[in-house]
């Protein structure tokens, strides 16, 4: 019964999520709801509010409450020493929904953080989530739509860069897989830059570089991983290839 219920909840969250206009809240620095529990800062001067802005505030408040309740539910299941099978079922359900609902939705801004949050409870959850993203990201010639390939790559780079709870070795393994795919792509496409033809290559390269901007200091300070950076990733080859990802 968990899967269909969670599917309905997250589908509703996504529908609200994509309708929220973030620009309506830019520049509002009052700090949000009392106590700092809100995900969004809702205060807008009444005189400045259009009908669309007021509707946007209502949507954001609704998403705020629903996200907090869902996060609390995830924590109650995943942060418990009882019935580990329930944790695993919940996380696998979230992965399935992520691939079907979130990954295929343009302009999802917040709902994906449910999966990011759930993954931090176990190292193997992080590995499973990255494996899912990498499987899609590196699926050249697959049946995945281009938009799904590009979205998976962006999520992968963002997660690797920002997930401070992920062990460095797990991150390094994922980075190596991305770099290996890029180098193999270069081997197969010795051609001039063409964003329309090689969009998949460029977005994967961007994801790798983005992640390295955050993780490079940790990698070079690890005596066992510095060889990965110097020799195995072959970053110099990627950035100087004829496809010119920079």
């Amino acid at each position: 019964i968990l899967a269909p219920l969670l599917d309905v909840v997250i589908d509703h969250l996504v529908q609200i999520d994509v309708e929220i206009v973030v620009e309506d809240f830019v520049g509002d620095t009052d700090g949000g709801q009392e106590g700092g529990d809100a995900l969004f800062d809702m205060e807008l001067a009444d005189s400045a509010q259009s009908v669309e802005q007021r509707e946007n505030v209502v949507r954001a408040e609704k998403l705020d409450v629903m996200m907090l309740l869902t996060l609390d539910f995830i924590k109650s299941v995943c942060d418990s020493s009882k019935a580990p099978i329930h944790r695993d079922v919940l996380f696998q359900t979230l992965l399935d929904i992520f691939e079907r609902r979130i990954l295929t939705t343009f302009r999802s801004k917040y709902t994906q953080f449910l999966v990011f949050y759930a993954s931090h409870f176990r190292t193997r959850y992080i590995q499973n989530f990255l494996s899912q993203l990498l499987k899609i990201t590196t699926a050249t010639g697959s049946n995945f739509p281009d938009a799904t390939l590009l979205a998976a790559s962006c999520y992968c780079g963002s997660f690797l860069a920002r997930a401070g709870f992920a062990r460095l070795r797990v991150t390094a393994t994922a980075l190596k897989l991305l770099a290996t795919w890029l180098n193999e792509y270069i081997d197969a496409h010795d051609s001039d830059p063409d964003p329309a033809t090689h969009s998949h290559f460029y977005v994967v390269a961007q994801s790798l570089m983005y992640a390295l901007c955050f993780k490079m200091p940790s990698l070079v300070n690890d005596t066992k991983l510095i060889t990965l950076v110097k020799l195995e990733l072959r970053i110099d080859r990627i950035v100087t290839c004829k496809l010119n990802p920079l």
Side-chain angles (χ1 to χ4, degrees):
I1 192 172
L2 173 64
L5 284 176
L6 201 55
D7 191 51
V8 170
V9 169
I10 293 180
D11 182 55
H12 190 50
L13 285 170
V14 169
Q15 290 181 41
I16 299 172
D17 188 347
V18 299
E19 293 296 325
I20 292 175
V21 181
V22 178
E23 288 76 9
D24 283 353
F25 306 107
V26 173
D28 183 18
T29 58
D30 290 341
Q33 294 181 6
E34 197 72 27
D37 288 335
L39 295 179
F40 308 102
D41 190 357
M42 301 304 160
E43 298 300 326
L44 283 170
D46 289 340
S47 60
Q49 284 186 334
S50 65
V51 173
E52 291 80 8
Q53 286 175 319
R54 288 194 293 271
E55 291 176 348
N56 196 41
V57 169
V58 171
R59 285 192 292 268
E61 288 176 337
K62 184 183 294 185
L63 182 64
D64 193 26
V65 172
M66 291 181 66
M67 285 285 289
L68 288 172
L69 289 172
T70 309
L71 289 167
D72 284 343
F73 170 72
I74 291 172
K75 181 178 181 181
S76 70
V77 176
C78 292
D79 198 22
S80 171
S81 59
K82 300 177 181 179
I85 190 173
H86 292 164
R87 291 196 302 264
D88 294 345
V89 170
L90 172 63
F91 188 72
Q92 186 57 53
T93 300
L94 286 170
L95 286 186
D96 293 341
I97 295 172
F98 176 83
E99 184 168 336
R100 287 187 293 103
R101 300 280 189 192
I102 300 174
L103 195 59
T104 57
T105 301
F106 180 61
R107 290 174 56 198
S108 176
K109 298 173 286 294
Y110 308 106
T111 314
Q112 57 266 26
F113 286 97
L114 296 174
V115 185
F116 294 178
Y117 176 70
S119 69
H120 95 279
F121 285 99
R122 295 289 184 279
T123 296
R124 59 189 170 89
Y125 292 172
I126 298 171
Q127 293 171 320
N128 290 347
F129 183 43
L130 283 172
S131 292
Q132 181 190 49
L133 291 173
L134 288 164
K135 177 191 70 175
I136 299 171
T137 297
T138 60
T140 304
S142 73
N143 293 323
F144 291 108
D146 288 346
T148 301
L149 292 172
L150 301 184
S153 181
C154 291
Y155 279 124
C156 189
S158 177
F159 188 76
L160 290 171
R162 299 290 190 171
F165 49 80
R167 293 180 180 177
L168 190 58
R169 292 188 177 280
V170 173
T171 300
T173 298
L175 293 172
K176 183 178 178 180
L177 288 170
L178 290 176
T180 298
W181 184 88
L182 288 167
N183 278 293
E184 290 176 352
Y185 192 97
I186 293 169
D187 291 337
H189 300 86
D190 184 23
S191 57
D192 293 328
D194 185 350
T197 302
H198 305 292
S199 59
H200 191 183
F201 171 83
Y202 292 120
V203 75
V204 175
Q206 182 181 29
S207 296
L208 176 65
M209 301 306 169
Y210 181 75
L212 285 173
C213 286
F214 288 85
K215 296 301 180 181
M216 185 67 83
S218 299
L219 290 169
V220 297
N221 286 328
D222 188 304
T223 56
K224 294 183 179 179
L225 293 177
I226 192 170
T227 301
L228 173 78
V229 177
K230 289 183 174 180
L231 300 177
E232 297 182 44
L233 297 185
R234 304 179 73 187
I235 298 300
D236 55 340
R237 181 174 188 249
I238 294 171
V239 299
T240 60
C241 73
K242 290 178 65 175
L243 289 167
N244 189 21
L246 300 183

